[in-house]
Amino acid sequence: MGKTPSAPTLNDVAKAAGVSTATVSRCLNSPDRVIETTRHRVMQAVESLGYTPNFAARVMAAKRSFTIGAIIPTMDNAIFARGLQAFQDQLREDGYTLLVSSSAYSPEVEKEQIRALVARGADGLLLIGHEREEQIYQYLEKHRVPVLVAWSYAPERLQPSVGFSNKGAMRDLAHTVVDAGHRHIAMISGILQGNDRAQNRVSGVRDAMRSRGLDPAALTLIEAPYEIERGASAFAELMSRAPRPTVVMCGNDVLAAGALREARSRGIAVPNDVSITGFDDIELAEIVSPALTTVHVPHREMGRKAAQELIAIVEGRSEGQSVCISTTLVTRQSLARPSDR
């Protein structure tokens, strides 16, 4: 039997391309520092030889794994997809690999995943929202693993964040709802426990009611997991109550899509009989009928900036700066003035 051929080395690539090993390294790690003709020659040699960089050697030299961990609450819907894709794209440009886990909105599962990613040598972690036990942040600090929070902007917190004001964004939408004449307001929120984003969105609605002279305690609130079916069942419950709300504000577009589906099945016209609003402005918000009035969150911008800031922290170029991303109100057909009853 013949010997198994050895894996090609950096020296093999350098010889095949007629350059130094330092030039090969620059082509692989900082291609913009190498002229195009040389870079093309080196990459042809890499391709023809089937060369794979020695990751272990790179880790030992840099004392980093060039791996970033991200733990998101769910993979069941598109709420986090756009932001996470932009986050990964930016990491890739800077030479980092992304490891993604989903906690299914379970604090215990998230805690396990944080420990697993730290054990695997993640250079930094992206977490969603600030709401978790303080011991987790102490654990990360002890292991010197930087953490960045996204989907929430809270500059008063110790952990840097790249996100938006959930409270402010929902307050702006609620102002529009009240100014359209709605007084009987209901809300289908995500589960509030352990979810500061959901908590702040409810607070935003109540703030808007208070500022317009309405009693915030009069808000009819139902909590539901972020699923179309749960949005539908929550809407059905709201429609059975008296007085029936003239508008149902939903904690995200997925819940709102469920509410729209249930309204259609019951012969309730939106927005003539009841208005419905969402939050996030994912693609679903445009394709449902009627299209949703919602809050546009620039997920891609948030993901890209989160990656840039987390890498800067990992590489010691930043102590951690919080960045506020602006949201915008998107007015579509699902919101109108309440009809006379």
Side-chain angles (χ1 to χ4, degrees), residues 259-335:
L260 282 172
R261 189 184 74 179
E262 184 66 19
R264 184 166 54 251
S265 71
R266 290 171 172 264
I268 298 173
V270 179
N272 293 338
D273 296 332
V274 62
S275 290
I276 295 174
T277 65
F279 194 105
D280 278 319
D281 196 28
I282 59 176
E283 284 85 351
L284 184 65
E286 288 190 88
I287 63 175
V288 293
S289 181
L292 282 171
T293 289
T294 185
V295 171
H296 176 75
V297 177
H299 295 94
R300 292 188 179 92
E301 178 188 0
M302 179 172 57
R304 179 176 56 81
K305 289 187 176 179
Q308 291 172 342
E309 184 58 33
L310 185 51
I311 291 171
I313 297 171
V314 166
E315 296 181 351
R317 294 182 283 107
S318 171
E319 294 183 358
Q321 302 295 320
S322 291
V323 179
C324 186
I325 306 295
S326 297
T327 59
T328 53
L329 177 64
V330 180
T331 303
R332 298 194 180 101
Q333 293 75 43
S334 69
L335 175 65

Side-chain angles (χ1 to χ4, degrees), residues 4-318:
T4 302
S6 59
T9 66
L10 195 72
N11 281 327
D12 294 332
V13 176
K15 289 178 181 178
V19 298
S20 66
T21 55
T23 298
V24 176
S25 294
R26 279 195 295 274
C27 283
L28 296 173
N29 299 315
S30 303
D32 55 314
R33 295 173 55 197
V34 183
I35 62 174
E36 185 177 354
T37 54
T38 301
R39 185 170 66 246
H40 179 68
R41 195 162 70 250
V42 169
M43 297 314 295
Q44 276 190 322
V46 167
E47 183 69 24
S48 63
L49 292 172
Y51 172 73
T52 300
N54 189 328
F55 180 73
R58 185 184 180 208
V59 168
M60 290 180 64
K63 297 182 179 179
R64 292 201 302 273
S65 68
F66 295 92
T67 300
I68 298 294
I71 303 175
I72 61 174
T74 180
M75 294 183 184
D76 284 343
N77 58 55
I79 291 173
F80 299 103
R82 280 185 285 187
L84 203 61
Q85 183 64 55
F87 183 76
Q88 177 177 267
D89 291 344
Q90 186 64 53
L91 290 181
R92 180 176 175 275
E93 285 184 23
D94 292 320
Y96 287 79
T97 298
L98 176 64
L99 294 178
V100 183
S101 296
S102 171
S103 68
Y105 287 96
S106 167
E108 289 304 313
V109 171
E110 185 192 58
K111 188 187 302 184
E112 293 173 6
Q113 292 169 337
I114 287 172
R115 290 183 177 275
L117 287 168
V118 170
R120 283 165 173 75
D123 292 326
L125 291 184
L126 179 78
L127 301 178
I128 308 302
H130 284 90
E131 189 80 8
R132 56 187 53 83
E133 295 177 359
E134 188 60 33
Q135 290 90 329
I136 294 176
Y137 292 122
Q138 293 171 355
Y139 169 81
L140 291 168
E141 185 176 1
K142 179 181 178 180
H143 288 269
R144 298 182 181 180
V145 178
V147 60
L148 181 78
V149 171
W151 270 266
S152 179
Y153 174 68
E156 72 280 2
R157 298 293 295 260
L158 182 62
Q159 298 77 28
S161 56
V162 175
F164 56 95
S165 172
N166 287 272
K167 185 175 183 178
M170 188 61 95
R171 182 173 56 230
D172 291 344
L173 175 57
H175 277 148
T176 300
V177 166
V178 176
D179 292 346
H182 292 279
R183 297 296 179 266
H184 299 295
I185 302 172
M187 184 173 184
I188 305 173
S189 167
I191 303 299
L192 298 181
Q193 184 175 0
N195 189 331
D196 55 334
R197 287 95 58 213
Q199 295 165 13
N200 286 327
R201 292 176 195 182
V202 172
S203 294
V205 174
R206 288 181 169 145
D207 273 6
M209 293 174 68
R210 185 181 296 109
S211 69
R212 293 297 194 264
L214 301 179
D215 181 5
L219 174 68
T220 302
L221 179 67
I222 293 180
E223 298 179 40
Y226 291 129
E227 300 169 6
I228 288 179
E229 293 75 13
R230 297 303 187 95
S233 60
F235 181 84
E237 181 179 341
L238 289 172
M239 292 300 102
S240 68
R241 297 186 180 184
R244 180 185 284 187
T246 61
V247 61
V248 177
M249 302 186 67
C250 298
N252 71 5
D253 294 335
V254 174
L255 291 173
L260 282 172
R261 189 184 74 179
E262 184 66 19
R264 184 166 54 251
S265 71
R266 290 171 172 264
I268 298 173
V270 179
N272 293 338
D273 296 332
V274 62
S275 290
I276 295 174
T277 65
F279 194 105
D280 278 319
D281 196 28
I282 59 176
E283 284 85 351
L284 184 65
E286 288 190 88
I287 63 175
V288 293
S289 181
L292 282 171
T293 289
T294 185
V295 171
H296 176 75
V297 177
H299 295 94
R300 292 188 179 92
E301 178 188 0
M302 179 172 57
R304 179 176 56 81
K305 289 187 176 179
Q308 291 172 342
E309 184 58 33
L310 185 51
I311 291 171
I313 297 171
V314 166
E315 296 181 351
R317 294 182 283 107
S318 171

